[in-house]
Each structure stands twice: as structure tokens, then as C-alpha cells.
Amino acid sequence: MNVRVETVDRIESIYVPREWAFAVGRKAEIDAHWAKLTAQKPLLYDGRVLLIDRYEIVERDGQRVLTTRHFPTNSRDFLAWRDFGFPDQTVRNCFAAAALLSRDDVFLLGEMAGHTANAGKIYIPAGTPDMGDVSAKHAGARVDLAGSVLRELAEETGITAEQVQCEAGWTVEFDGPRVGCMKIARSPLDAAAIIAQVDAFLRADAQAELVRLHAVRRANDLRPDVMPSFVVAYLDRMLSRMNDPVQPAG
């Protein structure tokens, strides 16, 4: 896995709308691809999502800060860009992910439901930011990735901001076209209680994004066949650190 890892104290993100040449120039192909996807998965929604076209890590006020610039596009454009092999390499999918950690030091990941764009994959709760994460619809408005962490966790698992404690700082995973901004969200419950709570939440929603939770206690629980490389790299590192507390950060 060729995943570059950085730790930062905070993330500062802005919204700068613009036209995306890929979406305009390949519109017919994108629309045809979307028609095929929705024929197979009619619950897919063509909402507005945010990608980035600029990022940098800077030193500011004694802290390391990841700065990102986001622009909006349609979900159909984003999925086509992904499925066509990321042809525009000036763009990245930068998203926030909540590494849900139980009281007994177990990471809980979600298996994506069959009607989603990532069916069968096992992820840390996460999602590409959307217009709900933008403070205002004008250039320079703030994009709230810290809020996106908690929103995605609640939408996917039913676990709310009041039920977890987010740790300070971020681990940022640079994995090709993906920039995963990872933050630990620790629950006061043990893994069995979290799984039972989330199972009840999922059973109550026929259109839930997840099918079930998967517990990761040790490296042997990692599934590179169905877990994205940035997830495997992150959890492998965190599990090693938890088992070896004297290991240096980074």
C-alpha cells in the first residue's frame, strides 16, 4: 500500500465554486454511466458533493494545518470520475471519517448495503462532503469537515455527537485520489453494546446505508479484499500503536 500519512492539528477548508471541465466535456458519457448505475441501484441519489482541487499542509500559530479548497459537482460526475479511473488527476476526494472506537479498544466499521455505490465494502463511517457542510453558498465560505465527521457517523450508525468523544487532531491519509481525514470518535460503550445499538438502528430503516458492523480488534481482523487501502493502513497503524504505546507518532 502506497499511503502517505500526515498528522495535523486542524483542518481549514473553504468553498470556491467553479466549472469542472471533466463534467462538462464528458457529459454524455457521464449521463450514460449514471443511467446504467441507477438501472441497477435505483436508490442512488444525484446530489451535490464537494471535491477538492487544492490542498496544502502549513505551519500556523505553532500548529500543523491542512488547508483544502472545495468545489461542488453532481454525484453522477463524481462516480463517473471514480469509475473511469480518476482521469482528472488535479482533483481529489477529500472526506472526513469517524474511526469509531469502543471503550474496550475495538474499532467498529460498517459494511455498505447493496443499494449503495460501495456495496459490500467495509469502511470507517465516512462520506464525501456535500452542501450541508458549507456555511454559505458563496466563494470563501467555510467547509466544516469536523461537522461532517459527526454527521456521517449519525447518518450511518445512529450514534450522535453526544454519544462519542472526538479526539483532538487528525490523521490524514493520502491514498492516490483519496484524502481521508481520520478522527477517532470514542464511545463509552463496549463493542458488544455498540453493535447491538447500531443493529437496532439499521433494522428500523429499510434504506440504511449499512448492513452490519464489523469489529476490528487486531491486525488479523483487517480485510484488504473489501476494505479500502487507506482504511487498512490507518487501522494497522493505530492497532500497532495501541499495542505498543511507546511507538512514536506519525
Side-chain angles (χ1 to χ4, degrees), residues 126-142:
T128 301
D130 60 34
M131 296 304 296
D133 299 310
V134 181
S135 61
K137 295 180 174 62
H138 60 72
R142 184 174 65 95

Side-chain angles (χ1 to χ4, degrees), residues 4-248:
R4 179 168 68 92
V5 181
E6 300 281 355
T7 56
V8 300
D9 297 292
R10 66 180 193 270
I11 300 175
E12 296 179 358
S13 305
I14 61 169
Y15 170 74
V16 181
R18 68 168 176 87
E19 188 175 78
W20 189 14
F22 165 77
V24 175
R26 300 184 65 174
K27 183 179 186 305
E29 295 172 76
I30 291 169
D31 289 348
H33 180 65
W34 180 251
K36 291 180 182 178
L37 288 178
T38 52
Q40 299 168 355
K41 299 178 180 182
L43 293 179
L44 289 178
Y45 173 62
D46 192 21
R48 298 285 275 176
V49 296
L50 303 178
L51 302 178
I52 65 169
D53 56 11
R54 181 177 296 178
Y55 66 87
E56 185 180 13
I57 295 177
V58 298
E59 296 285 338
R60 187 174 295 160
D61 302 324
Q63 293 187 320
R64 301 190 83 223
V65 182
L66 172 66
T67 65
T68 59
R69 188 175 74 179
H70 299 248
F71 69 93
T73 193
N74 293 323
S75 291
R76 69 173 66 198
D77 305 327
F78 164 59
L79 291 176
W81 173 69
R82 182 197 71 176
D83 295 346
F84 295 174
F86 308 102
D88 182 353
Q89 296 186 12
T90 67
V91 168
R92 299 285 185 274
N93 176 22
C94 178
F95 54 89
L100 180 59
L101 184 62
S102 68
R103 182 182 63 193
D104 48 341
D105 288 335
V106 180
F107 286 100
L108 285 310
L109 282 69
E111 180 181 335
M112 302 301 293
H115 62 79
T116 69
N118 295 297
K121 298 292 185 181
I122 298 176
Y123 276 86
I124 290 172
T128 301
D130 60 34
M131 296 304 296
D133 299 310
V134 181
S135 61
K137 295 180 174 62
H138 60 72
R142 184 174 65 95
V143 179
D144 184 11
L145 290 186
S148 181
V149 162
L150 296 171
R151 177 173 61 81
E152 291 293 340
L153 180 64
E155 287 179 358
E156 294 186 11
T157 68
I159 296 173
T160 65
E162 295 75 24
Q163 295 173 307
V164 293
Q165 179 67 47
C166 286
E167 295 191 359
W170 301 80
T171 299
V172 185
E173 307 264 326
F174 295 91
D175 182 17
R178 303 177 184 89
V179 180
C181 303
M182 326 294 284
K183 182 178 282 289
I184 287 180
R186 184 178 283 276
S187 169
L189 303 178
D190 62 25
I194 295 172
I195 290 171
Q197 176 182 326
V198 174
D199 279 350
F201 172 78
L202 299 178
R203 286 196 303 271
D205 183 1
Q207 297 181 9
E209 292 184 58
L210 303 182
V211 176
R212 61 184 63 86
L213 291 185
H214 289 259
V216 174
R217 296 177 172 84
R218 57 189 70 86
N220 287 345
D221 295 325
L222 297 174
R223 296 274 310 278
D225 55 327
V226 289
M227 293 178 183
S229 53
F230 73 90
V231 169
V232 174
Y234 174 77
L235 291 178
D236 187 54
R237 186 178 309 104
M238 296 306 295
L239 290 168
S240 296
R241 190 169 301 160
M242 288 160 61
N243 293 329
D244 182 12
V246 300
Q247 182 176 342

